[in-house]
Amino acid sequence: MAHHFSDRVQFKSRLTFILAATGSAVGLGNIWKFPYMTGENGGGAFVFVYLVCVIMMGIPIMMAETMLGKRGQKNPISTMATLANQARANPAWKYLGWMGVLAGVIILSYYSVIAGKTIHYIGRILTGLLWDLDLAGAEAAIDGLNGSIFLLTLWHTLFIGLTMYIVMQGVNEGIEKAVEFLMPGLFLVLMVLVLYAAMSDGFQQGIDFMFTVDFGSLSADSVLMALGQAFFTLSLGMGAIMIYGSYLPPGVSIAKTSAIVALCDTLVAILAGIAIFPIVFANGLEPAAGPDLIFKTLPLAFSGMFAGTLFGLMFFVLLVFAALSSSISLIEPAISYVVEKWGLTRKTACIGAGIITWTLGMGTVFSTNIWIDKKFFGTTFFGFLDYLSANIMLPVGGILIAVFAGWIMRQSDTAESLQISEDGYLYRSWKFLVCYVAPIAVSLVLLGGLF
Ligand code: PHE
């Protein structure tokens, strides 16, 4: 039964773990979310803070989360319960697992709607969207889709269905194979886009926008957004990486794999930005155009390039796969809990989780049409879910993971699991980052952004 997530199988090798974790990390967060967040938060300073967060908090917390999974060998809720018990700590630590499960459901609900739009674009490209496309045409295409409850629901349903279908089979084999060709493929098409952008009129302006750091333009809320984005894009703070950590084969360096995954993920996000902002400026678009930014820019870029229909098609297909390899990790913590703890079959668990996330996702479907003016805490329903999950739940989950690994677990246990020597430089830097830097910085940013 080497095919089921809940049977505590191990990944075949270190490479497989890296591919799976990278599959989880690289997704819509890099290609859809990072560019529009950068655009809405003023560019360079946001990118800078995001990079600092990835290095100072993302990598150490990824190490901590992987390690918790590796020691716990269960779903995130039971893992936290077991490890708290082993450390004679408060059993309430299991609610950290619960918050992660909830965050995964919330994120998947809107993730699926956006991934659904990507599927729609595959169809549009096949039927000639990219021929002689201009800005007005690109805007009309996405506005039309946003206005159509029927189409949004159709593709959202398909994406949730696909996600649950894969998770139902057990994730290992299929996903391992998929990411092996998917990641290099996505990377290649991204390079084509970057080359195209490099030849466009807006290149210099795009690069300046992304890399000129002007802290004057950075609000406390933007800093919180950058932190939230770091957690979101690395899949941290909700148990996805913990679940993958529980399949880690013995003898693998958690420090090295975490650094590699974070590096690949960051590279994809930065390349996506470099591909998109020149197109924004060359076409006189607003960088702060919001969540539809890639749906306005990418079709224009592909339409203008040689063999654009082919590259565009490849890109959107790969993006759907990248979204799938992330979405399965969003729901796997919930599924494995329900299977391991309540004894439901994987199938029943997936159908149940599918219905719940689908229903919640309808709020995001309505966010661009009938609920467009309805305010939830001052923003749209989608905006509210996104803010709550990415900017609050993931950072809070991240701090708690850091605190647990740094303060609650026995030092010798953490060093043993990380496979680094307790008095070495590497271990001591990690310990300092999870004990002090991550909890303090995340708390300050959260408080600053929220109040
Ligand atoms: N990291 C994924 C992305 O960037 C999203 C994700 C978040 C996946 C949290 C799992 C957990 O698209």
Side-chain angles (χ1 to χ4, degrees):
M1 295 272 295
H3 299 276
H4 287 272
F5 238 84
S6 56
D7 294 325
R8 296 297 125 210
V9 290
Q10 280 170 354
F11 286 129
K12 283 193 298 259
S13 67
R14 183 179 96 122
L15 179 66
T16 322
F17 170 78
I18 293 177
L19 287 171
T22 312
S24 168
V26 174
L28 297 174
N30 308 61
I31 292 177
W32 158 75
K33 201 170 185 206
F34 174 75
Y36 88 76
M37 298 271 285
T38 302
E40 281 183 335
N41 290 282
F46 175 87
V47 174
F48 179 82
V49 176
Y50 152 80
L51 290 174
V52 170
C53 290
V54 167
I55 295 166
M56 304 283 286
M57 288 170 255
I59 296 175
I61 292 180
M62 185 178 284
M63 287 170 66
E65 194 172 331
T66 312
M67 178 200 65
L68 296 187
K70 183 179 165 187
R71 283 197 87 81
Q73 292 288 305
K74 290 195 185 75
N75 65 76
I77 300 173
S78 310
T79 283
M80 288 316 299
T82 312
L83 296 182
N85 186 25
Q86 275 174 15
R88 300 218 176 80
N90 195 320
W93 277 102
K94 71 164 186 273
Y95 293 111
L96 168 56
W98 270 109
M99 187 175 67
V101 165
L102 192 65
V105 168
I106 294 177
I107 295 174
L108 179 58
S109 80
Y110 67 79
Y111 205 83
S112 167
V113 178
I114 313 296
K117 293 188 190 183
T118 317
I119 302 179
H120 176 79
Y121 269 75
I122 297 175
R124 290 299 308 264
I125 292 173
L126 281 170
T127 51
L129 173 72
L130 302 179
W131 299 336
D132 289 324
L133 189 70
D134 58 8
L135 181 57
E139 290 187 318
I142 187 64
D143 290 345
L145 177 58
N146 282 334
S148 167
I149 295 178
F150 171 74
L151 287 174
L152 290 173
T153 307
L154 176 69
W155 302 123
H156 164 52
T157 309
L158 179 67
F159 189 82
I160 288 279
L162 281 172
T163 300
M164 296 305 162
Y165 180 76
I166 299 175
V167 176
M168 211 182 278
Q169 311 300 307
V171 185
N172 278 353
E173 300 286 313
I175 280 312
E176 287 176 14
K177 296 230 172 58
V179 276
E180 270 167 38
F181 77 87
L182 162 79
M183 290 299 146
L186 191 67
F187 192 80
L188 281 180
V189 189
L190 206 51
M191 288 311 289
V192 172
L193 266 173
V194 168
L195 283 179
Y196 175 78
M199 296 180 306
S200 93
D201 291 339
F203 189 63
Q204 193 54 46
Q205 218 180 332
I207 295 290
D208 287 348
F209 180 76
M210 275 187 74
F211 299 109
T212 308
V213 180
D214 167 18
F215 287 114
S217 64
L218 203 66
S219 68
D221 202 44
S222 295
V223 177
L224 176 56
M225 302 275 191
L227 176 79
Q229 174 63 13
F231 280 95
F232 185 92
T233 190
L234 294 173
S235 305
L236 290 180
M238 51 114 345
I241 292 296
M242 211 184 276
I243 273 281
Y244 284 161
S246 72
Y247 306 122
L248 199 65
V252 173
S253 159
I254 292 182
K256 257 189 231 153
T257 53
S258 300
I260 294 173
V261 173
L263 188 78
C264 293
D265 184 73
T266 307
L267 199 64
V268 173
I270 297 288
L271 286 175
I274 297 181
I276 284 163
F277 284 109
I279 311 301
V280 167
F281 293 111
N283 291 281
L285 255 160
E286 260 310 302
D292 287 334
L293 188 67
I294 65 159
F295 296 107
K296 293 179 180 167
T297 48
L298 289 179
L300 279 177
F302 287 121
S303 159
M305 76 174 61
F306 170 73
T309 293
L310 178 69
F311 286 126
L313 205 58
M314 278 166 67
F315 188 82
F316 278 97
V317 169
L318 288 165
L319 190 53
V320 171
F321 277 102
L324 273 173
S325 66
S326 299
S327 65
I328 55 172
S329 72
L330 280 163
I331 203 63
E332 180 59 26
I335 301 296
S336 63
Y337 174 74
V338 171
V339 170
E340 289 172 4
K341 199 71 185 190
W342 299 349
L344 297 187
T345 63
R346 270 192 99 73
K347 192 170 166 190
T348 317
C350 288
I351 293 172
I355 293 172
I356 293 171
T357 42
W358 182 88
T359 308
L360 191 60
M362 288 310 289
T364 295
V365 165
F366 297 149
S367 290
T368 52
N369 39 68
I370 53 175
W371 285 0
I372 196 163
D373 294 317
K374 239 191 161 82
K375 292 284 179 242
F376 297 82
F377 297 90
T379 167
T380 59
F381 187 76
F382 155 71
F384 168 64
L385 287 189
D386 180 40
Y387 196 91
L388 174 70
S389 55
N391 296 346
I392 301 176
M393 297 172 88
L394 298 186
V396 169
I399 311 185
L400 293 175
I401 287 169
V403 167
F404 191 86
W407 294 96
I408 309 283
M409 286 177 75
R410 247 181 296 159
Q411 170 146 328
S412 51
D413 287 350
T414 56
E416 178 200 75
S417 292
L418 292 172
Q419 298 183 328
I420 41 185
S421 132
E422 257 176 80
D423 13 69
Y425 167 72
L426 184 61
Y427 182 82
R428 280 199 265 149
S429 329
W430 173 78
K431 182 98 181 178
F432 178 72
L433 289 169
V434 290
C435 281
Y436 301 101
V437 177
I440 295 173
V442 176
S443 311
L444 286 179
V445 171
L446 260 174
L447 293 176
L450 291 178
F451 303 110

